[in-house]
Amino acid sequence: MSGQLQNPIYNPPLEPYISILHRDESLLVLDKPSGLLSVPGRDPALADSLATRVQKQFPSALMINRLDKDTSGIVLMSLNKKAHAAIASQFESRTTKKIYQAIVWGEVTGESGDIDLPLAIDPDNKPRHRVDPDNGRPSQTQWRVLERLPLPATRLELRPLTGRTHQLRVHLKALGHPILGDEFYASGEALAASERLLLHAEELSFQHPDGHHVTFHVPAPF
């Protein structure tokens, strides 16, 4: 059925309310749980988010990068405007290094590879995106097999070279291996195999506003 998808019931996790991996005078490094919005939605029912929770304790905090509601892992928030500009510019220029981990349906052929497929929003099924050779924006993802599982499923390391909405989810679906538990892009056994989306932002490297290079890592919870 076409048309914009209806919002599912939003029941974000309450524990941990906020998980802070690192804090200094410039920024907060947070571990966002699956099921929690990065920023509030327009609907008042979607007011609870990582940003609003953090801003109750740190009123000056501003979101630098975001993750999909159902993706867990590392999110950065700045504590002053100078830090925000310094780090946000690195995301815009693609000088940050991001590593994700995912478990996908099926046995992936090969040990590593590259996905280079342009992506655009699917106008008939918002907020889904799709591969669109004519109107899509260039999108690249590197992948590497970490473990082969008996479901059958495969644990992958993913390195997005671009930062498109739903990029990893759409690229893996196009590869023929949707991420387990993906309510937008998986179906049947792949959807039913997990109660949550098995996608996690596990590592992020960038230049701290004080000038030194930093890397933060949080293991996948699955």
Side-chain angles (χ1 to χ4, degrees), residues 57-212:
Q57 185 174 351
F58 304 95
S60 66
L62 294 174
M63 187 67 64
I64 298 175
N65 70 308
R66 303 180 186 184
L67 296 175
D68 295 343
K69 173 176 69 71
D70 295 321
T71 303
S72 58
I74 297 174
V75 172
L76 302 180
M77 294 186 73
S78 63
L79 293 175
N80 57 66
K81 291 182 179 180
K82 182 178 179 180
H84 190 274
I87 302 174
S89 65
Q90 296 176 59
F91 280 91
E92 293 171 3
S93 61
R94 302 179 190 172
T95 57
T96 59
K97 303 298 182 185
K98 298 174 280 187
I99 300 177
Y100 289 71
Q101 194 170 131
I103 297 180
V104 303
W105 181 256
E107 185 172 344
V108 176
T109 301
E111 296 302 315
S112 63
D114 299 287
I115 306 170
D116 187 356
L117 296 170
L119 302 179
I121 195 163
D122 184 343
D124 295 325
N125 292 287
K126 296 178 181 179
R128 287 187 175 115
H129 285 62
R130 66 183 182 186
V131 174
D132 188 336
D134 297 321
N135 302 302
R137 301 175 70 187
S139 308
Q140 296 88 33
T141 300
Q142 297 175 336
W143 60 268
R144 180 172 69 90
V145 171
L146 297 176
E147 183 182 8
R148 297 189 184 278
L149 302 168
L151 196 56
T154 308
R155 184 183 295 270
L156 297 178
E157 176 188 276
L158 303 169
R159 295 175 181 255
L161 304 183
T162 51
R164 310 305 180 202
T165 301
H166 293 184
Q167 175 176 316
L168 300 178
R169 299 164 72 173
V170 179
H171 272 176
L172 289 164
K173 178 189 177 184
L175 197 66
H177 300 283
I179 300 174
L180 300 188
D182 191 337
E183 64 179 8
F184 285 167
Y185 303 105
S187 59
E189 292 178 297
L191 176 59
S194 175
E195 292 183 354
R196 61 153 288 185
L197 174 71
L198 296 189
L199 178 63
H200 177 76
E202 68 173 358
E203 190 168 299
L204 180 60
S205 301
F206 58 96
Q207 187 176 49
H208 191 279
D210 67 10
H212 70 283

